[in-house]
């Protein structure tokens, strides 16, 4: 595929695992009533089921991710393999996680399978709603979405994504968003708050955005329970 050649991404380099709709609702402190009629971007969407379920509640949902350059069947096969591999890895580090939500590793496995099943099925019926793109660039119009959600990417991989990438990606998300961008969590994979969070917040506040760190009801990785809300001043 042409996009694949441009990005240089190989399927073996990705982990195609996603969270469920219910997890998203907790992570981003959302209610079902808020979704109807809203244009929502999930970026990067991965194998998450938020878009599929939000659409059923009347939202106009779009997921964007570099991995969508691959075919649905390829992604499903890779995702199922990744789930099994991840479950084996978690056995050795269970203490790093809170198990109130899932109960056991098998409970977690069932949720991850539910997410990818819903996602792949939705891809089949709404292929145009899964857009291949490589951050920090987004192929959308200015203020095309009312709300943009971004889970387990920025801040999570702070050891691989530098400050300029964080700034560029957030400004691009804000460009395509009319009201608000929400990022979860605000910590890296070790559970530490993003090192340059204060600097980032000052930078965005100086541009007129309204920022707050909000404690949510979701916590699986220990200490990963806070989202960053970035609102445009019109609200």
């Amino acid at each position: 595929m042409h996009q694949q050649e441009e990005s240089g991404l190989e399927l073996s380099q990705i982990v195609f695992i996603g969270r469920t709709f219910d997890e998203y609702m907790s992570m981003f402190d959302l209610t079902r009533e808020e979704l109807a009629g809203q244009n929502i971007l999930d970026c990067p969407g991965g194998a998450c089921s938020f878009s599929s379920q939000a659409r059923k509640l009347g939202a106009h949902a779009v997921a964007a991710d570099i991995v969508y350059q691959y075919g649905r069947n390829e992604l499903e096969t890779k995702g199922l393999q990744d789930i099994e591999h991840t479950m084996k890895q978690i056995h050795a580090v269970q203490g790093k996680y809170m198990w109130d939500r899932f109960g056991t590793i098998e409970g977690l496995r069932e949720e991850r399978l539910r997410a990818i099943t819903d996602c792949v099925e939705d891809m089949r019926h709404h292929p145009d709603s899964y857009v291949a793109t490589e951050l920090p660039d987004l192929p959308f119009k200015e203020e095309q979405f009312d709300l943009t959600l971004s889970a387990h990417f920025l801040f999570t991989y702070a050891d691989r994504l530098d400050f300029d990438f964080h700034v560029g990606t957030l400004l691009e998300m804000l460009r395509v968003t009319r009201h608000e961008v929400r990022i979860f969590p605000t910590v890296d994979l070790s559970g530490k708050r993003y090192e340059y969070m204060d600097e980032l917040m000052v930078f965005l506040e100086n541009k007129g955005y309204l920022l707050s760190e909000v404690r949510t009801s979701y916590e699986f990785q220990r200490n990963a329970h806070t989202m960053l809300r970035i609102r445009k001043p019109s609200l």
Side-chain angles (χ1 to χ4, degrees):
M1 298 174 65
H2 181 61
Q3 285 182 317
Q4 185 175 321
E5 292 172 355
E6 284 186 342
S7 69
L9 178 73
E10 296 181 7
L11 191 56
S12 61
Q13 295 175 300
I14 71 167
V15 177
F16 192 61
I17 290 181
R19 275 75 181 177
T20 62
F21 172 81
D22 288 338
E23 288 180 89
Y24 260 57
M25 298 299 281
S26 296
M27 287 190 294
F28 293 110
D29 196 21
L30 293 167
T31 65
R32 291 172 177 254
E33 292 72 24
E34 291 179 281
L35 302 182
Q38 295 294 296
N39 293 308
I40 304 175
L41 174 64
D42 179 15
C43 180
C48 297
S49 64
F50 174 79
S51 292
S52 67
Q53 301 305 310
R55 190 174 292 109
K56 294 176 181 178
L57 293 172
H60 306 286
V62 172
D65 198 306
I66 190 173
V67 303
Y68 298 150
Q69 65 188 259
Y70 286 96
R72 183 182 67 245
N73 292 336
E74 291 177 282
L75 289 174
E76 182 176 23
T77 298
K78 180 65 165 61
L80 293 175
Q81 293 171 348
D82 288 341
I83 289 172
E84 298 309 318
H85 180 66
T86 300
M87 295 307 108
K88 291 177 182 178
Q89 289 184 316
I90 284 181
H91 271 286
V93 291
Q94 293 183 57
K96 293 183 178 180
Y97 299 95
M98 305 282 288
W99 292 97
D100 297 353
R101 176 177 292 270
F102 304 109
T104 63
I105 290 177
E106 181 56 30
L108 174 64
R109 178 178 177 273
E110 290 175 0
E111 287 294 284
R112 296 291 170 262
L113 287 172
R114 182 175 296 112
I116 193 172
T117 299
D118 288 348
C119 177
V120 171
E121 181 65 17
D122 196 55
M123 286 180 176
R124 182 175 291 111
H125 295 289
H126 303 279
D128 292 341
S129 295
Y130 291 83
V131 179
T133 189
E134 185 171 2
L135 290 168
D137 298 320
L138 291 171
F140 304 116
K141 299 175 183 177
E142 290 191 11
E143 299 193 340
Q144 181 171 335
F145 302 98
D146 298 300
L147 171 68
T148 291
L149 307 175
S150 186
H152 298 96
F153 179 59
L154 292 177
F155 311 143
T156 299
Y157 297 105
D159 60 329
R160 307 174 209 180
L161 307 172
D162 64 20
F163 181 76
D164 288 342
F165 182 88
H166 278 72
V167 169
T169 297
L170 286 173
L171 289 177
E172 182 71 346
M173 289 180 176
L174 286 161
R175 179 186 69 79
V176 304
T177 307
R178 182 177 303 123
H179 296 315
E180 184 175 350
V181 173
R182 299 186 185 187
I183 312 293
F184 181 94
T186 59
V187 300
D188 61 20
L189 289 171
S190 70
K192 295 180 181 178
R193 184 175 181 261
Y194 177 52
E195 181 180 3
Y196 303 107
M197 183 64 78
D198 293 336
E199 182 180 349
L200 177 66
M201 293 179 73
V202 168
F203 174 84
L204 292 173
E205 285 169 347
N206 285 339
K207 287 189 169 293
Y209 299 112
L210 307 173
L211 287 90
S212 58
E213 290 179 82
V214 181
R215 176 71 183 258
T216 74
S217 61
Y218 186 92
E219 184 175 6
F220 179 45
Q221 175 194 345
R222 289 187 182 276
N223 205 40
H225 49 58
T226 306
M227 70 168 167
L228 180 66
R229 294 183 64 179
I230 310 172
R231 290 172 292 162
K232 290 196 168 180
S234 57
L235 282 184

